[in-house]
Amino acid sequence: MIKIESLKAAIGGKEILKGLDLEIKKGKVHAIMGPNGAGKSTLSKAITGHYEVEITGGDILYKGESITKMEPELRALKGIFMSFQNPVEVPGVTNAYFLREALNAKMEFEGKEPLNPADFLRMAREYCEILGMDPKMLNRSLNVGFSGGEKKRNEILQMLILKPDFIILDEIDSGLDIDALKAVSQGINRLRNADRSFLIITHYSRILEYVKPDYVHILKDGRVTKTGDYSIVKDIEERGYSEIGERL
Amino acid sequence: MSDERKKIEKAVTQDYDLGFSVDIEEEKAPAGLNEEIIVYLSKKKNEPEWMLKKRLQAYKIWKKMKEPHWAHIKYDPIDYQSISYYAAPKKRPKTLEEVDPEILRAYEKLGIPLEEQKQLAGVAVDAVFDSVSVATTFKEKLKEVGIIFCSISEAIRDYPDLVQKYMFSVVPMSDNFFAALNSAVFTDGTFVYVPKGVKCPLELSTYFRINAQNTGQFERTLIIADEGSYVSYNEGCSAPMRDENQLHAAVVELIALKDAHIKYSTIQNWYPGDEKGVGGIYNFVTKRGLCAGERSKISWTQVETGSAITWKYPSCILKGDESVGEFYSVAITTRAQQADTGTKMIHIGKNSSSTIISKGISAMRGQNSYRGQVKIHASASGARNYSECDSLLIGDKCGAHTFPYLESKNASATIEHEATTSKISDEQLFYLRQRGLKEEDAVSMIVHGFCKEVLSNLPMEFAAEAKDLLNLTLEGSVG
């Protein structure tokens, strides 16, 4: 799905990713863990084409195609989705309108007929229920006045509606209470299948109890320093990043 | 989204979508302004003697006045003697069938096929092409309920009592420099009278179009809503591309008697000029409504996207007790456009109330100023005003300015004023683009959200038109 080859990326002239290699397999859930400042968020920004990130070396291949020079919207239309740590507020634009526009953009890109508004609303309401969201939130302005938990659920709602091929969940679990965490995890698990890949970026192991990863990578100082299975999570829990880092 | 794509393709290939001009024979007065020209103009229009006298009186007043320069706009001096004050299509059709096919084609290009409009959803069009009305539709239907909807020229001839009673009663000819000029040389415009208790069954609308090169347009509109009546009037404009600046100085007077309600909506899309502002329309407009009777109401809604210069303050004089004035405005300036626009709410009647919602959007090198006055007279016990002025900036070469003037002579009055300035953030754009929206669509989505409160006040068809216009206007303003 994704092949990252000795990727170097800088933000504001400061090199954050220093030759990162990573392969994310089709149909698999990968988790990236690492201490603060290791470059986790820079990695997700590099994949999605965030304006702050400057790629200074290496390459990112998505489905075999280099995407480092591609417009962010084209990457999105081709199936790359990222849940935001702090989704921005857009006053006056209702959640439902935004979701439908985004879905229609995708449908059009794929040469499909757009969903009619009634069908769309039915689908959106159904997903709201799964996520424990009040369907009234569809009529509110996008993220305006949403609580931290509501924003995160809303990100997952977008994911469910857009059904992307490659999903980056950037700190989706931070600031969530246990109910919200369960609801969010349920949403994620619902989309797991043999064709879809996930990259869960997290500082904590909490969410990985609900969404079991196939692979776990440790990111430290701009590089992937360890790759393994779920057992790494246990290691971190017991000994912390620094010790694992030292051990490596 | 496919419509969206078409629109963008269209905009890429055409710099200004409505920037075409139609070749029609024109009858034109020589350039310059003097008493002879005014007599010529009045004669051409078969006006009664009293109208000519008023015009000459206004001309005398105008000659003594000076062009005002207090607004936050800059432009080269206007040479009033180089303008031709009268142009009319040569053939005067009595029915649609007689209308010059060239004109009809122009309307079709503007998306207002006059022929279809007759059958289409209740929109009656009094089409003003250049200065003279060339076609009026739905007149019979309106006549059935006693509504008069005609050109101001016809009204001067056919309804002199109403015109003499109300014209200049809200905007006196001495009101300001541009109003005085208009009073002397206005060529045509719209007249509406809605009788007592009648709710106008149609949205009335007029499309203005400036066509003759070097011809100033001086529209004059007068709308009278008698006791307990209601009327919604839509004014929409577009102009062909020009190299010279075109002066436009319109006057609109609204009178709402007891329990009457007038809703006046405008979409203004005149040629804004190129990146340097060359060739755009100068739009100096005086619009004012008088809430004469108790519980009368006047609502102004405007979407201002065009013109090189916009100088416009649709206002309400709230004379009647419990009368209501509303002003909803979206003004966009891009390229080198300058807008100084806002409103005046003059509270005289007891418990009169007013609402001002102004949304200014500036992009590229656009300069946008809100200028608003709320004046509470001593007589206006319990008067209330709520004002909200929000500015949205796109890029860092544009500007937004707010000039609120508040004056209250009655301690029981309540005035609230809120103002915000925000910028479309890179993070907002990235968020929407990460969801697959093109940058232009993302900007348009944010802008529409910002303007929602105003756009939702437009009649439905007009709102759709305004939306398209906002998209077109903002294309190319980001990135």
Side-chain angles (χ1 to χ4, degrees), chain B residues 228-252:
Chain B
S229 69
Y230 167 78
V231 64
S232 170
Y233 183 83
N234 301 339
E235 173 201 332
C237 322
S238 67
M241 192 176 269
R242 287 291 173 223
D243 288 324
E244 293 137 85
N245 288 305
Q246 288 180 297
L247 175 65
H248 187 91
V251 170
V252 175

Side-chain angles (χ1 to χ4, degrees), chain A residues 48-51 71-73 76 80-82 84 88-89 91-94 98 101-102 108 143 155 158, chain B residues 1-2 5 425-439 445-446 448-450 452 467:
Chain A
T48 50
H50 192 275
Y51 55 94
E71 293 293 324
E73 55 268 40
I80 297 177
F81 176 96
M82 173 173 82
F84 283 66
V88 289
E89 302 189 349
V93 175
T94 66
F98 162 67
E101 285 292 301
E108 195 206 349
N143 293 324
E155 292 292 292
Q158 294 174 37
Chain B
M1 293 306 281
S2 64
R5 180 166 284 178
S425 71
D426 291 335
E427 200 58 34
Q428 271 176 326
L429 286 177
F430 179 70
Y431 186 72
L432 300 181
R433 293 175 78 187
Q434 212 299 305
R435 296 301 182 251
L437 300 176
K438 287 191 283 284
E439 190 170 34
M445 186 178 271
I446 295 167
H448 287 134
F450 175 74
K452 202 181 187 181
K467 224 178 141 178

Side-chain angles (χ1 to χ4, degrees), chain B residues 438-458:
Chain B
K438 287 191 283 284
E439 190 170 34
E440 301 250 329
D441 295 338
V443 170
S444 129
M445 186 178 271
I446 295 167
V447 167
H448 287 134
F450 175 74
C451 302
K452 202 181 187 181
E453 277 168 284
V454 174
L455 297 181
S456 63
N457 273 292
L458 287 171

Side-chain angles (χ1 to χ4, degrees), chain B residues 145-434:
Chain B
V145 285
I147 292 172
I148 305 167
F149 177 49
C150 62
S151 73
I152 199 93
S153 310
E154 275 177 83
I156 289 165
R157 290 192 298 268
D158 301 343
Y159 310 99
D161 295 347
L162 281 172
V163 176
Q164 287 192 68
K165 184 172 178 190
Y166 291 110
M167 191 185 263
F168 310 115
S169 74
V170 187
V171 180
M173 51 178 70
S174 60
D175 190 81
N176 67 69
F177 180 83
F178 298 106
L181 179 64
N182 176 288
S183 302
V185 301
F186 71 88
T187 38
D188 218 331
T190 303
F191 177 81
V192 179
Y193 171 77
V194 189
K196 271 183 197 171
V198 172
K199 311 276 183 230
C200 184
L202 309 163
E203 296 274 344
L204 302 182
S205 90
T206 304
Y207 285 85
F208 295 98
R209 191 160 157 72
I210 302 174
N211 192 266
Q213 195 156 7
N214 241 341
T215 303
Q217 278 263 303
F218 303 96
E219 314 286 351
R220 185 101 201 176
T221 296
L222 179 58
I223 299 177
I224 304 145
D226 214 327
E227 291 181 9
S229 69
Y230 167 78
V231 64
S232 170
Y233 183 83
N234 301 339
E235 173 201 332
C237 322
S238 67
M241 192 176 269
R242 287 291 173 223
D243 288 324
E244 293 137 85
N245 288 305
Q246 288 180 297
L247 175 65
H248 187 91
V251 170
V252 175
E253 290 176 284
L254 310 181
I255 296 110
L257 301 180
K258 194 176 152 192
D259 292 309
H261 180 190
I262 302 174
K263 185 175 165 67
Y264 193 105
S265 311
T266 306
I267 292 181
Q268 188 264 111
N269 178 29
W270 284 327
Y271 182 55
D274 61 15
E275 278 73 15
K276 288 171 190 148
V278 174
I281 302 286
Y282 288 7
N283 190 23
F284 296 93
V285 193
T286 307
K287 289 184 168 179
R288 196 174 301 151
L290 173 65
C291 285
E294 291 161 32
R295 293 174 302 277
S296 54
K297 179 176 175 182
I298 290 178
S299 314
W300 297 102
T301 306
Q302 60 173 26
V303 176
E304 302 282 322
T305 66
S307 296
I309 289 173
T310 301
W311 181 97
K312 183 179 174 188
Y313 317 92
S315 307
C316 296
I317 301 170
L318 301 165
K319 195 176 158 202
D321 291 346
E322 291 172 49
S323 59
V324 178
E326 292 175 337
F327 174 76
Y328 299 100
S329 169
V330 170
I332 301 192
T333 52
T334 71
R335 300 184 181 186
Q337 283 179 282
Q338 307 173 64
D340 193 298
T341 183
T343 184
K344 275 190 221 173
M345 293 290 175
I346 313 292
H347 291 254
I348 299 167
K350 287 189 185 70
N351 297 316
S352 52
S353 68
S354 60
T355 304
I356 299 170
I357 309 282
S358 162
K359 305 277 180 180
I361 300 158
S362 314
M364 295 164 89
R365 291 189 299 118
Q367 291 292 328
N368 213 323
S369 302
Y370 168 80
R371 190 180 301 278
Q373 184 183 40
V374 177
K375 194 170 181 178
I376 314 267
H377 283 256
S379 56
S381 308
R384 288 185 313 267
N385 163 264
Y386 174 74
S387 303
E388 188 187 312
C389 307
D390 299 321
S391 305
L392 186 68
L393 303 174
I394 305 172
D396 51 14
K397 290 190 182 72
C398 54
H401 318 270
T402 305
F403 304 97
Y405 306 90
L406 308 173
E407 190 186 327
S408 179
K409 290 191 173 131
N410 189 308
S412 67
T414 323
I415 301 179
E416 277 179 80
H417 181 93
E418 285 178 24
T420 66
T421 301
S422 51
K423 243 183 133 163
I424 291 190
S425 71
D426 291 335
E427 200 58 34
Q428 271 176 326
L429 286 177
F430 179 70
Y431 186 72
L432 300 181
R433 293 175 78 187
Q434 212 299 305

